[in-house]
RNA sequence: GACCCGUUAGUCAAGCGGUUUAAGACACUGCCCUUUCACGGCAGUAACAUGGGUUCGAAUCCCGUACGGGUCACCA
């Protein structure tokens, strides 16, 4: 690419774990940068010091790395445009200088209206049915009167915020990369907005503009919820005479349950990457799934590696309409990866889940590890995320509950007890207890009893595993072990003989 | 309430005025495979929100309506 340098950023605030929506924003910026051989930058927007949490930044970065992202500049790796935390930039006086400039040019001013007053205004406006907005507090005053009003406020001990003087009745428009032409009239954005808080911190709308400009950001991909911020930011670019970057506002991910944008309170969807990570989802699969939420490739394939995504990524294919988060599809994608992934990777993750749940000891011996390996291999075809192994294979670890529901119906007949009695008896006498012999045993029962097919296999499956579905039966029985298998069968026989 | 935006099957989506009797995937249903279930293979059900235009021709362009969403903080 020979055009201007492509530089994009992901700018999280360190207020908590990496959210799915933010992860998606990060991924699309990353993909855009890598596809175009540009730079991907991380900047920490920590100007709201009250909301910052201790490990927020670290958690964000860790989870991004887990997803397979890497960046060229950022708080942890440095770069030529640092510092990469807004609080540090503030300490360097970067914002103050610019704010002073705006004030000197009459494009910003000190505002002394208190938060209580503003709140009252808003309530009154809302009651009147108009959009809540700030009304210019010096309306109609001469320069001298303004000066006096400010002096009076200072005398009362009020601390000012700095507001940006919004131009009257002026249209601000841009060609959005995903939405097309979007336009706002300056009168509809809520009045002169604050660019510096009472405590001296710049506000988001001001700091982003300053930093994006200073960091030479060329494109901004962010969530749809930022559309309304864009005209404000455009005004600031204009006030400084800076060239704004290109904007792309991506549709939001919504909850299938509520239809609303994913919010932290919505418990129908796991919201944080961290949670998926803990459940043993594969990072490649998460990357794959998230990328397909609101973006689609040209062909008909759905499974792509990170490298392939980088190659085929095209920001013009970002969707305009919001996408609901579909858990089933997520699980399907994960299962695709589990099935085709490296055995050791899956094994490793699954082992950790087994240990976490206490199903195998903290430091398993070689024999247990080998046994677990067989177990994981057995369930690999049907697992989506690794934590499922604990439930899927629960029969291997604890005494199963009574057979019930469809499974009970399945074995409530005359032939089931015959099969089970025979199987228990013959298995007991087996010289070698392995899957080959178990298979032969089942066949021999068929031969002698003439019971076959589902009526033969299902009772055994249900009695031994208490599940109606699962991996290869002989192999499963071998792994469960002879004593346990026989015990389960006897318990089941007791239950159905009543 | 105001301002912005969106609307193809249950869900994700392709589609960019004629090649569309509208792809593909998830989910669902059925069949096949495996002397069982699952996995896998094959097949099937199912959609252009609505009313007007424009045009020889509209899912595709324009306008209205309905519905959905986003934003209106000294949060980002």
């Amino acid at each position: 690419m020979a055009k201007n340098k492509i530089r994009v950023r992901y700018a999280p605030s360190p207020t908590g774990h990496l959210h799915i929506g933010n992860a998606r924003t990060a991924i699309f910026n990353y993909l855009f940068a890598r596809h175009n051989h540009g730079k991907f930058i991380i900047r920490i927007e920590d100007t709201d010091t009250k909301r910052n949490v201790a490990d927020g930044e670290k958690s964000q970065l860790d989870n991004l790395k887990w997803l397979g992202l890497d960046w060229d500049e950022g708080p942890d790796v440095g770069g030529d445009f640092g510092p990469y935390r807004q609080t540090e930039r503030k300490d360097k006086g970067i914002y103050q200088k610019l704010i002073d400039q705006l004030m000197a040019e009459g494009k910003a001013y000190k505002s002394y209206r208190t938060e209580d007053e503003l709140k009252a205004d808003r309530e009154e406006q809302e009651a009147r049915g108009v959009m809540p907005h700030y009304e210019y507090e010096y309306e109609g005053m001469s320069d001298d009167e303004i000066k006096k009003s400010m002096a009076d406020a200072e005398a009362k001990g009020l601390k000012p915020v700095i507001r940006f003087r919004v131009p009257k009745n002026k249209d601000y428009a841009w060609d959005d990369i995903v939405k097309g032409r979007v336009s706002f009239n300056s009168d509809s954005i809520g009045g002169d907005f604050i660019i510096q808080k009472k405590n001296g911190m710049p506000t988001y709308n001001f700091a982003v503009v300053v930093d994006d400009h200073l960091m030479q950001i060329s494109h901004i991909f962010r969530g749809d919820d930022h559309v309304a911020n864009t005209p404000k930011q455009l005004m600031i670019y204009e006030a400084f005479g800076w060239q704004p970057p290109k904007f792309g506002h991506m549709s939001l991910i919504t909850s299938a349950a509520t239809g609303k944008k994913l919010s932290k309170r919505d418990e129908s969807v796991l919201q944080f990457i961290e949670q998926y990570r803990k459940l043993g989802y594969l990072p490649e699969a998460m990357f794959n799934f998230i990328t397909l939420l609101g973006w689609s490739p040209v062909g008909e394939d759905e499974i792509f590696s990170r490298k392939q995504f980088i190659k085929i990524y095209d920001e013009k294919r970002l969707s305009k309409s919001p996408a609901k988060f579909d858990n089933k599809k997520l699980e399907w994608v994960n299962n695709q990866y589990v099935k085709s992934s490296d055995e050791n990777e899956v094994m490793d993750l699954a082992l950790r889940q087994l240990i976490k749940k206490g199903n195998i000891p903290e430091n398993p011996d070689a024999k247990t590890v080998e046994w677990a390996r067989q177990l994981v291999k057995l369930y690999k075809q049907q697992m989506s995320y690794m934590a499922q192994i604990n439930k899927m294979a629960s029969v291997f670890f604890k005494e199963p509950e009574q057979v019930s529901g469809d499974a009970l119906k399945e074995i409530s007949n005359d032939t089931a007890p015959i099969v089970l009695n025979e199987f228990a008896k013959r298995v007991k006498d087996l010289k070698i207890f392995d899957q080959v012999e178990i298979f032969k045993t089942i066949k021999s029962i068929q031969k002698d009893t003439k019971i076959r097919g589902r009526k033969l296999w299902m009772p055994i499956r249900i009695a031994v595993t208490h599940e109606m579905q699962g991996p290869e039966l002989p192999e499963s029985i071998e792994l469960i072990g002879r004593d346990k298998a026989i015990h389960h069968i006897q318990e089941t026989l007791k239950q159905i003989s009543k």
Side-chain angles (χ1 to χ4, degrees), chain A residues 47 129 197 339 446 470:
Chain A
T47 52
K197 307 178 204 175
K339 277 194 288 205
Q446 181 201 330

mmCIF file with all atom_site columns, all heavy atoms in Angstrom, chain A residues 47 129 197 339 446 470, chain B residues 1 35 37 40 75-76:
data_model
loop_
_atom_site.group_PDB
_atom_site.id
_atom_site.type_symbol
_atom_site.label_atom_id
_atom_site.label_alt_id
_atom_site.label_comp_id
_atom_site.label_asym_id
_atom_site.label_entity_id
_atom_site.label_seq_id
_atom_site.pdbx_PDB_ins_code
_atom_site.Cartn_x
_atom_site.Cartn_y
_atom_site.Cartn_z
_atom_site.occupancy
_atom_site.B_iso_or_equiv
_atom_site.pdbx_formal_charge
_atom_site.auth_seq_id
_atom_site.auth_comp_id
_atom_site.auth_asym_id
_atom_site.auth_atom_id
_atom_site.pdbx_PDB_model_num
ATOM 1   N N     . THR A 1 47  ? -8.884  8.548   31.860 1.00 0.00 ? 47  THR A N     1
ATOM 2   C CA    . THR A 1 47  ? -9.088  9.879   32.434 1.00 0.00 ? 47  THR A CA    1
ATOM 3   C C     . THR A 1 47  ? -10.125 9.894   33.548 1.00 0.00 ? 47  THR A C     1
ATOM 4   O O     . THR A 1 47  ? -10.179 10.826  34.332 1.00 0.00 ? 47  THR A O     1
ATOM 5   C CB    . THR A 1 47  ? -9.537  10.891  31.357 1.00 0.00 ? 47  THR A CB    1
ATOM 6   O OG1   . THR A 1 47  ? -10.658 10.344  30.662 1.00 0.00 ? 47  THR A OG1   1
ATOM 7   C CG2   . THR A 1 47  ? -8.422  11.167  30.390 1.00 0.00 ? 47  THR A CG2   1
ATOM 8   N N     . GLY A 1 129 ? -40.271 17.891  27.488 1.00 0.00 ? 129 GLY A N     1
ATOM 9   C CA    . GLY A 1 129 ? -40.224 17.063  26.284 1.00 0.00 ? 129 GLY A CA    1
ATOM 10  C C     . GLY A 1 129 ? -39.179 17.489  25.272 1.00 0.00 ? 129 GLY A C     1
ATOM 11  O O     . GLY A 1 129 ? -39.264 17.135  24.112 1.00 0.00 ? 129 GLY A O     1
ATOM 12  N N     . LYS A 1 197 ? -12.614 18.747  32.788 1.00 0.00 ? 197 LYS A N     1
ATOM 13  C CA    . LYS A 1 197 ? -13.403 18.651  34.020 1.00 0.00 ? 197 LYS A CA    1
ATOM 14  C C     . LYS A 1 197 ? -12.836 19.590  35.083 1.00 0.00 ? 197 LYS A C     1
ATOM 15  O O     . LYS A 1 197 ? -11.730 20.103  34.960 1.00 0.00 ? 197 LYS A O     1
ATOM 16  C CB    . LYS A 1 197 ? -13.370 17.215  34.547 1.00 0.00 ? 197 LYS A CB    1
ATOM 17  C CG    . LYS A 1 197 ? -13.767 16.165  33.529 1.00 0.00 ? 197 LYS A CG    1
ATOM 18  C CD    . LYS A 1 197 ? -13.645 14.774  34.133 1.00 0.00 ? 197 LYS A CD    1
ATOM 19  C CE    . LYS A 1 197 ? -13.460 13.725  33.055 1.00 0.00 ? 197 LYS A CE    1
ATOM 20  N NZ    . LYS A 1 197 ? -13.217 12.378  33.596 1.00 0.00 ? 197 LYS A NZ    1
ATOM 21  N N     . LYS A 1 339 ? -12.134 -30.215 17.283 1.00 0.00 ? 339 LYS A N     1
ATOM 22  C CA    . LYS A 1 339 ? -11.967 -31.436 16.496 1.00 0.00 ? 339 LYS A CA    1
ATOM 23  C C     . LYS A 1 339 ? -10.683 -31.432 15.685 1.00 0.00 ? 339 LYS A C     1
ATOM 24  O O     . LYS A 1 339 ? -10.053 -32.465 15.503 1.00 0.00 ? 339 LYS A O     1
ATOM 25  C CB    . LYS A 1 339 ? -13.172 -31.621 15.562 1.00 0.00 ? 339 LYS A CB    1
ATOM 26  C CG    . LYS A 1 339 ? -14.341 -32.259 16.271 1.00 0.00 ? 339 LYS A CG    1
ATOM 27  C CD    . LYS A 1 339 ? -15.390 -32.748 15.314 1.00 0.00 ? 339 LYS A CD    1
ATOM 28  C CE    . LYS A 1 339 ? -16.128 -31.569 14.714 1.00 0.00 ? 339 LYS A CE    1
ATOM 29  N NZ    . LYS A 1 339 ? -17.481 -31.927 14.267 1.00 0.00 ? 339 LYS A NZ    1
ATOM 30  N N     . GLN A 1 446 ? -25.597 -60.704 21.370 1.00 0.00 ? 446 GLN A N     1
ATOM 31  C CA    . GLN A 1 446 ? -26.526 -60.616 20.248 1.00 0.00 ? 446 GLN A CA    1
ATOM 32  C C     . GLN A 1 446 ? -26.779 -61.999 19.672 1.00 0.00 ? 446 GLN A C     1
ATOM 33  O O     . GLN A 1 446 ? -27.913 -62.407 19.418 1.00 0.00 ? 446 GLN A O     1
ATOM 34  C CB    . GLN A 1 446 ? -25.957 -59.705 19.160 1.00 0.00 ? 446 GLN A CB    1
ATOM 35  C CG    . GLN A 1 446 ? -26.893 -59.560 17.962 1.00 0.00 ? 446 GLN A CG    1
ATOM 36  C CD    . GLN A 1 446 ? -26.169 -59.113 16.704 1.00 0.00 ? 446 GLN A CD    1
ATOM 37  O OE1   . GLN A 1 446 ? -25.172 -58.419 16.778 1.00 0.00 ? 446 GLN A OE1   1
ATOM 38  N NE2   . GLN A 1 446 ? -26.657 -59.550 15.569 1.00 0.00 ? 446 GLN A NE2   1
ATOM 39  N N     . GLY A 1 470 ? -23.074 -40.473 23.520 1.00 0.00 ? 470 GLY A N     1
ATOM 40  C CA    . GLY A 1 470 ? -21.699 -40.371 23.979 1.00 0.00 ? 470 GLY A CA    1
ATOM 41  C C     . GLY A 1 470 ? -20.778 -40.975 22.961 1.00 0.00 ? 470 GLY A C     1
ATOM 42  O O     . GLY A 1 470 ? -21.202 -41.335 21.865 1.00 0.00 ? 470 GLY A O     1
ATOM 43  P P     . G   B 2 1   ? -42.254 9.841   21.922 1.00 0.00 ? 1   G   B P     1
ATOM 44  O OP1   . G   B 2 1   ? -43.661 9.895   21.743 1.00 0.00 ? 1   G   B OP1   1
ATOM 45  O OP2   . G   B 2 1   ? -41.372 9.099   21.051 1.00 0.00 ? 1   G   B OP2   1
ATOM 46  O "O5'" . G   B 2 1   ? -41.584 11.296  22.103 1.00 0.00 ? 1   G   B "O5'" 1
ATOM 47  C "C5'" . G   B 2 1   ? -42.319 12.491  22.364 1.00 0.00 ? 1   G   B "C5'" 1
ATOM 48  C "C4'" . G   B 2 1   ? -41.311 13.599  22.552 1.00 0.00 ? 1   G   B "C4'" 1
ATOM 49  O "O4'" . G   B 2 1   ? -40.569 13.360  23.777 1.00 0.00 ? 1   G   B "O4'" 1
ATOM 50  C "C3'" . G   B 2 1   ? -40.240 13.659  21.485 1.00 0.00 ? 1   G   B "C3'" 1
ATOM 51  O "O3'" . G   B 2 1   ? -40.673 14.440  20.393 1.00 0.00 ? 1   G   B "O3'" 1
ATOM 52  C "C2'" . G   B 2 1   ? -39.079 14.317  22.220 1.00 0.00 ? 1   G   B "C2'" 1
ATOM 53  O "O2'" . G   B 2 1   ? -39.260 15.715  22.325 1.00 0.00 ? 1   G   B "O2'" 1
ATOM 54  C "C1'" . G   B 2 1   ? -39.198 13.693  23.606 1.00 0.00 ? 1   G   B "C1'" 1
ATOM 55  N N9    . G   B 2 1   ? -38.413 12.487  23.794 1.00 0.00 ? 1   G   B N9    1
ATOM 56  C C8    . G   B 2 1   ? -38.887 11.215  23.894 1.00 0.00 ? 1   G   B C8    1
ATOM 57  N N7    . G   B 2 1   ? -37.945 10.325  24.087 1.00 0.00 ? 1   G   B N7    1
ATOM 58  C C5    . G   B 2 1   ? -36.778 11.071  24.115 1.00 0.00 ? 1   G   B C5    1
ATOM 59  C C6    . G   B 2 1   ? -35.425 10.662  24.297 1.00 0.00 ? 1   G   B C6    1
ATOM 60  O O6    . G   B 2 1   ? -35.001 9.517   24.473 1.00 0.00 ? 1   G   B O6    1
ATOM 61  N N1    . G   B 2 1   ? -34.545 11.727  24.254 1.00 0.00 ? 1   G   B N1    1
ATOM 62  C C2    . G   B 2 1   ? -34.922 13.037  24.062 1.00 0.00 ? 1   G   B C2    1
ATOM 63  N N2    . G   B 2 1   ? -33.935 13.943  24.056 1.00 0.00 ? 1   G   B N2    1
ATOM 64  N N3    . G   B 2 1   ? -36.182 13.446  23.895 1.00 0.00 ? 1   G   B N3    1
ATOM 65  C C4    . G   B 2 1   ? -37.044 12.417  23.930 1.00 0.00 ? 1   G   B C4    1
ATOM 66  P P     . U   B 2 35  ? -20.790 -51.789 12.195 1.00 0.00 ? 35  U   B P     1
ATOM 67  O OP1   . U   B 2 35  ? -19.992 -52.630 13.093 1.00 0.00 ? 35  U   B OP1   1
ATOM 68  O OP2   . U   B 2 35  ? -20.921 -52.080 10.736 1.00 0.00 ? 35  U   B OP2   1
ATOM 69  O "O5'" . U   B 2 35  ? -22.253 -51.701 12.832 1.00 0.00 ? 35  U   B "O5'" 1
ATOM 70  C "C5'" . U   B 2 35  ? -23.236 -52.443 12.246 1.00 0.00 ? 35  U   B "C5'" 1
ATOM 71  C "C4'" . U   B 2 35  ? -24.498 -52.390 13.065 1.00 0.00 ? 35  U   B "C4'" 1
ATOM 72  O "O4'" . U   B 2 35  ? -24.949 -53.759 13.080 1.00 0.00 ? 35  U   B "O4'" 1
ATOM 73  C "C3'" . U   B 2 35  ? -24.284 -52.007 14.534 1.00 0.00 ? 35  U   B "C3'" 1
ATOM 74  O "O3'" . U   B 2 35  ? -24.585 -50.620 14.815 1.00 0.00 ? 35  U   B "O3'" 1
ATOM 75  C "C2'" . U   B 2 35  ? -25.171 -52.987 15.330 1.00 0.00 ? 35  U   B "C2'" 1
ATOM 76  O "O2'" . U   B 2 35  ? -26.432 -52.436 15.697 1.00 0.00 ? 35  U   B "O2'" 1
ATOM 77  C "C1'" . U   B 2 35  ? -25.436 -54.109 14.345 1.00 0.00 ? 35  U   B "C1'" 1
ATOM 78  N N1    . U   B 2 35  ? -24.788 -55.336 14.762 1.00 0.00 ? 35  U   B N1    1
ATOM 79  C C2    . U   B 2 35  ? -25.559 -56.469 14.784 1.00 0.00 ? 35  U   B C2    1
ATOM 80  O O2    . U   B 2 35  ? -26.733 -56.457 14.460 1.00 0.00 ? 35  U   B O2    1
ATOM 81  N N3    . U   B 2 35  ? -24.914 -57.594 15.202 1.00 0.00 ? 35  U   B N3    1
ATOM 82  C C4    . U   B 2 35  ? -23.590 -57.688 15.589 1.00 0.00 ? 35  U   B C4    1
ATOM 83  O O4    . U   B 2 35  ? -23.156 -58.772 15.944 1.00 0.00 ? 35  U   B O4    1
ATOM 84  C C5    . U   B 2 35  ? -22.848 -56.484 15.545 1.00 0.00 ? 35  U   B C5    1
ATOM 85  C C6    . U   B 2 35  ? -23.463 -55.364 15.141 1.00 0.00 ? 35  U   B C6    1
ATOM 86  P P     . C   B 2 37  ? -28.578 -45.453 16.254 1.00 0.00 ? 37  C   B P     1
ATOM 87  O OP1   . C   B 2 37  ? -29.967 -45.276 15.834 1.00 0.00 ? 37  C   B OP1   1
ATOM 88  O OP2   . C   B 2 37  ? -27.510 -45.620 15.273 1.00 0.00 ? 37  C   B OP2   1
ATOM 89  O "O5'" . C   B 2 37  ? -28.172 -44.274 17.236 1.00 0.00 ? 37  C   B "O5'" 1
ATOM 90  C "C5'" . C   B 2 37  ? -29.109 -43.787 18.193 1.00 0.00 ? 37  C   B "C5'" 1
ATOM 91  C "C4'" . C   B 2 37  ? -28.414 -42.904 19.176 1.00 0.00 ? 37  C   B "C4'" 1
ATOM 92  O "O4'" . C   B 2 37  ? -27.396 -43.661 19.890 1.00 0.00 ? 37  C   B "O4'" 1
ATOM 93  C "C3'" . C   B 2 37  ? -27.610 -41.733 18.623 1.00 0.00 ? 37  C   B "C3'" 1
ATOM 94  O "O3'" . C   B 2 37  ? -28.437 -40.661 18.239 1.00 0.00 ? 37  C   B "O3'" 1
ATOM 95  C "C2'" . C   B 2 37  ? -26.780 -41.372 19.841 1.00 0.00 ? 37  C   B "C2'" 1
ATOM 96  O "O2'" . C   B 2 37  ? -27.561 -40.716 20.810 1.00 0.00 ? 37  C   B "O2'" 1
ATOM 97  C "C1'" . C   B 2 37  ? -26.401 -42.759 20.353 1.00 0.00 ? 37  C   B "C1'" 1
ATOM 98  N N1    . C   B 2 37  ? -25.083 -43.156 19.822 1.00 0.00 ? 37  C   B N1    1
ATOM 99  C C2    . C   B 2 37  ? -23.951 -42.690 20.497 1.00 0.00 ? 37  C   B C2    1
ATOM 100 O O2    . C   B 2 37  ? -24.107 -41.993 21.507 1.00 0.00 ? 37  C   B O2    1
ATOM 101 N N3    . C   B 2 37  ? -22.723 -43.015 20.029 1.00 0.00 ? 37  C   B N3    1
ATOM 102 C C4    . C   B 2 37  ? -22.607 -43.758 18.946 1.00 0.00 ? 37  C   B C4    1
ATOM 103 N N4    . C   B 2 37  ? -21.378 -44.053 18.527 1.00 0.00 ? 37  C   B N4    1
ATOM 104 C C5    . C   B 2 37  ? -23.748 -44.250 18.235 1.00 0.00 ? 37  C   B C5    1
ATOM 105 C C6    . C   B 2 37  ? -24.968 -43.920 18.706 1.00 0.00 ? 37  C   B C6    1
ATOM 106 P P     . G   B 2 40  ? -20.183 -33.318 12.733 1.00 0.00 ? 40  G   B P     1
ATOM 107 O OP1   . G   B 2 40  ? -19.413 -32.079 12.524 1.00 0.00 ? 40  G   B OP1   1
ATOM 108 O OP2   . G   B 2 40  ? -21.641 -33.255 12.921 1.00 0.00 ? 40  G   B OP2   1
ATOM 109 O "O5'" . G   B 2 40  ? -19.871 -34.332 11.546 1.00 0.00 ? 40  G   B "O5'" 1
ATOM 110 C "C5'" . G   B 2 40  ? -18.530 -34.529 11.099 1.00 0.00 ? 40  G   B "C5'" 1
ATOM 111 C "C4'" . G   B 2 40  ? -18.508 -35.606 10.046 1.00 0.00 ? 40  G   B "C4'" 1
ATOM 112 O "O4'" . G   B 2 40  ? -18.989 -36.851 10.623 1.00 0.00 ? 40  G   B "O4'" 1
ATOM 113 C "C3'" . G   B 2 40  ? -19.435 -35.372 8.858  1.00 0.00 ? 40  G   B "C3'" 1
ATOM 114 O "O3'" . G   B 2 40  ? -18.835 -34.539 7.888  1.00 0.00 ? 40  G   B "O3'" 1
ATOM 115 C "C2'" . G   B 2 40  ? -19.638 -36.794 8.347  1.00 0.00 ? 40  G   B "C2'" 1
ATOM 116 O "O2'" . G   B 2 40  ? -18.515 -37.249 7.618  1.00 0.00 ? 40  G   B "O2'" 1
ATOM 117 C "C1'" . G   B 2 40  ? -19.742 -37.571 9.663  1.00 0.00 ? 40  G   B "C1'" 1
ATOM 118 N N9    . G   B 2 40  ? -21.130 -37.651 10.130 1.00 0.00 ? 40  G   B N9    1
ATOM 119 C C8    . G   B 2 40  ? -21.697 -36.966 11.187 1.00 0.00 ? 40  G   B C8    1
ATOM 120 N N7    . G   B 2 40  ? -22.966 -37.243 11.362 1.00 0.00 ? 40  G   B N7    1
ATOM 121 C C5    . G   B 2 40  ? -23.261 -38.165 10.361 1.00 0.00 ? 40  G   B C5    1
ATOM 122 C C6    . G   B 2 40  ? -24.478 -38.820 10.051 1.00 0.00 ? 40  G   B C6    1
ATOM 123 O O6    . G   B 2 40  ? -25.564 -38.720 10.612 1.00 0.00 ? 40  G   B O6    1
ATOM 124 N N1    . G   B 2 40  ? -24.336 -39.656 8.956  1.00 0.00 ? 40  G   B N1    1
ATOM 125 C C2    . G   B 2 40  ? -23.176 -39.853 8.243  1.00 0.00 ? 40  G   B C2    1
ATOM 126 N N2    . G   B 2 40  ? -23.238 -40.699 7.217  1.00 0.00 ? 40  G   B N2    1
ATOM 127 N N3    . G   B 2 40  ? -22.026 -39.246 8.523  1.00 0.00 ? 40  G   B N3    1
ATOM 128 C C4    . G   B 2 40  ? -22.139 -38.429 9.593  1.00 0.00 ? 40  G   B C4    1
ATOM 129 P P     . C   B 2 75  ? -16.898 12.973  34.422 1.00 0.00 ? 75  C   B P     1
ATOM 130 O OP1   . C   B 2 75  ? -16.675 13.269  35.834 1.00 0.00 ? 75  C   B OP1   1
ATOM 131 O OP2   . C   B 2 75  ? -15.825 13.038  33.447 1.00 0.00 ? 75  C   B OP2   1
ATOM 132 O "O5'" . C   B 2 75  ? -17.558 11.516  34.388 1.00 0.00 ? 75  C   B "O5'" 1
ATOM 133 C "C5'" . C   B 2 75  ? -18.242 11.075  33.246 1.00 0.00 ? 75  C   B "C5'" 1
ATOM 134 C "C4'" . C   B 2 75  ? -17.724 9.705   32.936 1.00 0.00 ? 75  C   B "C4'" 1
ATOM 135 O "O4'" . C   B 2 75  ? -18.849 8.874   32.615 1.00 0.00 ? 75  C   B "O4'" 1
ATOM 136 C "C3'" . C   B 2 75  ? -16.822 9.637   31.720 1.00 0.00 ? 75  C   B "C3'" 1
ATOM 137 O "O3'" . C   B 2 75  ? -15.481 9.917   32.055 1.00 0.00 ? 75  C   B "O3'" 1
ATOM 138 C "C2'" . C   B 2 75  ? -17.018 8.180   31.309 1.00 0.00 ? 75  C   B "C2'" 1
ATOM 139 O "O2'" . C   B 2 75  ? -16.222 7.350   32.118 1.00 0.00 ? 75  C   B "O2'" 1
ATOM 140 C "C1'" . C   B 2 75  ? -18.480 7.944   31.625 1.00 0.00 ? 75  C   B "C1'" 1
ATOM 141 N N1    . C   B 2 75  ? -19.361 8.114   30.453 1.00 0.00 ? 75  C   B N1    1
ATOM 142 C C2    . C   B 2 75  ? -19.853 6.948   29.849 1.00 0.00 ? 75  C   B C2    1
ATOM 143 O O2    . C   B 2 75  ? -19.522 5.865   30.320 1.00 0.00 ? 75  C   B O2    1
ATOM 144 N N3    . C   B 2 75  ? -20.667 7.062   28.764 1.00 0.00 ? 75  C   B N3    1
ATOM 145 C C4    . C   B 2 75  ? -20.977 8.249   28.290 1.00 0.00 ? 75  C   B C4    1
ATOM 146 N N4    . C   B 2 75  ? -21.788 8.305   27.245 1.00 0.00 ? 75  C   B N4    1
ATOM 147 C C5    . C   B 2 75  ? -20.497 9.461   28.883 1.00 0.00 ? 75  C   B C5    1
ATOM 148 C C6    . C   B 2 75  ? -19.680 9.352   29.954 1.00 0.00 ? 75  C   B C6    1
ATOM 149 P P     . A   B 2 76  ? -14.421 10.272  30.922 1.00 0.00 ? 76  A   B P     1
ATOM 150 O OP1   . A   B 2 76  ? -13.138 10.425  31.624 1.00 0.00 ? 76  A   B OP1   1
ATOM 151 O OP2   . A   B 2 76  ? -14.921 11.360  30.054 1.00 0.00 ? 76  A   B OP2   1
ATOM 152 O "O5'" . A   B 2 76  ? -14.387 8.954   30.022 1.00 0.00 ? 76  A   B "O5'" 1
ATOM 153 C "C5'" . A   B 2 76  ? -13.523 7.856   30.303 1.00 0.00 ? 76  A   B "C5'" 1
ATOM 154 C "C4'" . A   B 2 76  ? -13.845 6.765   29.317 1.00 0.00 ? 76  A   B "C4'" 1
ATOM 155 O "O4'" . A   B 2 76  ? -15.294 6.633   29.223 1.00 0.00 ? 76  A   B "O4'" 1
ATOM 156 C "C3'" . A   B 2 76  ? -13.426 7.043   27.881 1.00 0.00 ? 76  A   B "C3'" 1
ATOM 157 O "O3'" . A   B 2 76  ? -12.085 6.662   27.648 1.00 0.00 ? 76  A   B "O3'" 1
ATOM 158 C "C2'" . A   B 2 76  ? -14.408 6.203   27.084 1.00 0.00 ? 76  A   B "C2'" 1
ATOM 159 O "O2'" . A   B 2 76  ? -14.047 4.857   27.085 1.00 0.00 ? 76  A   B "O2'" 1
ATOM 160 C "C1'" . A   B 2 76  ? -15.684 6.389   27.890 1.00 0.00 ? 76  A   B "C1'" 1
ATOM 161 N N9    . A   B 2 76  ? -16.491 7.523   27.389 1.00 0.00 ? 76  A   B N9    1
ATOM 162 C C8    . A   B 2 76  ? -16.381 8.850   27.703 1.00 0.00 ? 76  A   B C8    1
ATOM 163 N N7    . A   B 2 76  ? -17.258 9.611   27.097 1.00 0.00 ? 76  A   B N7    1
ATOM 164 C C5    . A   B 2 76  ? -18.000 8.725   26.340 1.00 0.00 ? 76  A   B C5    1
ATOM 165 C C6    . A   B 2 76  ? -19.090 8.919   25.469 1.00 0.00 ? 76  A   B C6    1
ATOM 166 N N6    . A   B 2 76  ? -19.648 10.110  25.214 1.00 0.00 ? 76  A   B N6    1
ATOM 167 N N1    . A   B 2 76  ? -19.607 7.838   24.858 1.00 0.00 ? 76  A   B N1    1
ATOM 168 C C2    . A   B 2 76  ? -19.054 6.644   25.102 1.00 0.00 ? 76  A   B C2    1
ATOM 169 N N3    . A   B 2 76  ? -18.027 6.345   25.915 1.00 0.00 ? 76  A   B N3    1
ATOM 170 C C4    . A   B 2 76  ? -17.541 7.443   26.507 1.00 0.00 ? 76  A   B C4    1
#
